[in-house]
Amino acid sequence: MITKRIIPCLDVRDGRVVKGVNFEGLRDVSSPVELAKFYSACGADELVFYDITASSDGRKLFTEILTETAKEVFIPLTVGGGINTVADFDRVLKCGADKVSVNSGAIRNPELINEAAKLYGDQCVVLSADIKRVNGVFRVFAKGGREDTGMEAIEWIKRCVGNGAGEVVVNSIDTDGVKQGFDLQMLDAVCNAVNVPIIASGGAGKIDDFITLFKTLPKVDAGLAASIFHFGEVKISDLKSEMTKNNIPTRNSGF
């Protein structure tokens, strides 16, 4: 079994990290620069930086705060929000990102993934899929979970991976911020559909949720969470220690 990654997520709005429930009710947490510095030092395997209102506001991702954040990070950094063209990929990579996450931009222009993969390589292109059940069907949502695209999620993910997405972040809107565990049913469906690394996002509330995730779905490569790390409910060092006890391979913690 390959090493499982633990990835804190910085949801950034107006230059500050925020967190909500089911993509709503956002509250201020901290400075992304300070949080990035902390996570880079304390054993996180990667970091995700989302400018969560760039797409819905119809603007480009804030580059100044991203550049400041990237300077403090010594682990892989994935950046998303307002990525609509290959020029956006180029700009974000030049700010210090290692990988670029695309969501609404790919929905508007499905060829964006193909174009970016040819220019920068599959490993640089991350599909971020915001998914919610609608009448029992997994549906793709755009603009930070605000807009139902009407597209069935599994087929959409298969299409994007076929176009060159080298990694998929599965964001379950149904479990986001609820802290009752990851959406195992949704993740299982994605794992069975594609053969690229899958990152589980939405629902982590305690250490056991990560243990259950990796033991139940060994195809999942990483667990992503936000508030439980931001508010100190789970320490990454404690999580990794528990993973080791459960024979889940992990990179050693920094603390």
Side-chain angles (χ1 to χ4, degrees):
M1 192 188 294
I2 61 171
T3 300
K4 302 301 183 183
R5 293 171 286 155
I6 301 302
I7 306 176
C9 179
L10 309 180
D11 291 323
V12 179
R13 181 182 67 176
D14 299 331
R16 297 285 293 178
V17 177
V18 295
K19 191 66 190 94
V21 176
N22 302 128
F23 285 31
E24 296 178 348
L26 300 175
R27 59 174 171 151
D28 185 85
V29 177
S30 183
S31 152
V33 179
E34 292 305 311
L35 269 183
K37 190 186 301 184
F38 169 73
Y39 288 130
S40 187
C42 77
D45 296 301
E46 296 187 15
L47 196 62
V48 169
F49 178 113
Y50 286 142
D51 185 339
I52 60 171
T53 55
S55 290
S56 60
D57 291 352
R59 59 169 170 78
K60 294 184 183 297
L61 183 144
F62 291 124
T63 53
E64 185 178 332
I65 193 73
L66 170 59
T67 302
E68 286 182 48
T69 303
K71 287 177 182 175
E72 302 296 340
V73 176
F74 302 100
I75 51 179
L77 175 64
T78 298
V79 176
I83 306 297
N84 295 299
T85 65
V86 289
D88 291 327
F89 270 79
D90 186 65
R91 182 169 51 85
V92 168
L93 291 168
K94 285 176 178 173
C95 287
D98 298 286
K99 295 184 278 190
V100 181
S101 176
V102 63
N103 187 335
S104 296
I107 292 168
R108 279 190 290 272
N109 174 22
E111 281 304 305
L112 175 60
I113 287 176
N114 190 29
E115 293 167 12
K118 285 179 178 176
L119 279 172
Y120 304 109
D122 293 11
Q123 79 288 341
C124 180
V125 182
V126 180
L127 172 69
S128 179
D130 295 336
I131 307 173
K132 184 177 182 180
R133 290 167 179 79
V134 178
N135 298 322
V137 176
F138 294 135
R139 291 265 272 273
V140 178
F141 277 66
K143 296 183 179 177
R146 297 170 180 81
E147 182 181 287
D148 184 355
T149 66
M151 292 192 297
E152 196 278 325
I154 305 303
E155 288 304 313
W156 167 246
I157 291 171
K158 286 167 68 175
R159 177 182 177 186
C160 291
V161 169
N163 280 343
E167 191 167 76
V168 178
V169 180
V170 180
N171 305 304
S172 172
I173 297 175
D174 295 323
T175 61
D176 174 69
V178 180
K179 299 183 181 179
Q180 296 296 312
F182 290 97
D183 197 326
L184 300 178
Q185 181 191 31
M186 182 184 294
L187 289 161
D188 186 45
V190 176
C191 286
N192 288 327
V194 294
N195 289 311
V196 297
I198 303 297
I199 299 172
S201 172
K206 56 188 181 300
I207 286 175
D208 281 352
D209 292 333
F210 289 89
I211 305 301
T212 299
L213 169 70
F214 294 130
K215 285 197 161 188
T216 306
L217 299 174
K219 285 185 178 179
V220 169
D221 291 80
L224 181 149
S227 59
I228 61 167
F229 296 141
H230 299 342
F231 300 123
E233 296 165 40
V234 170
K235 290 183 179 178
I236 291 175
S237 56
D238 293 343
L239 168 55
K240 290 195 167 187
S241 176
E242 198 62 31
M243 288 169 66
T244 299
K245 289 178 188 174
N246 282 272
N247 298 314
I248 299 168
T250 176
R251 187 175 67 85
N252 289 335
S253 174
F255 285 173

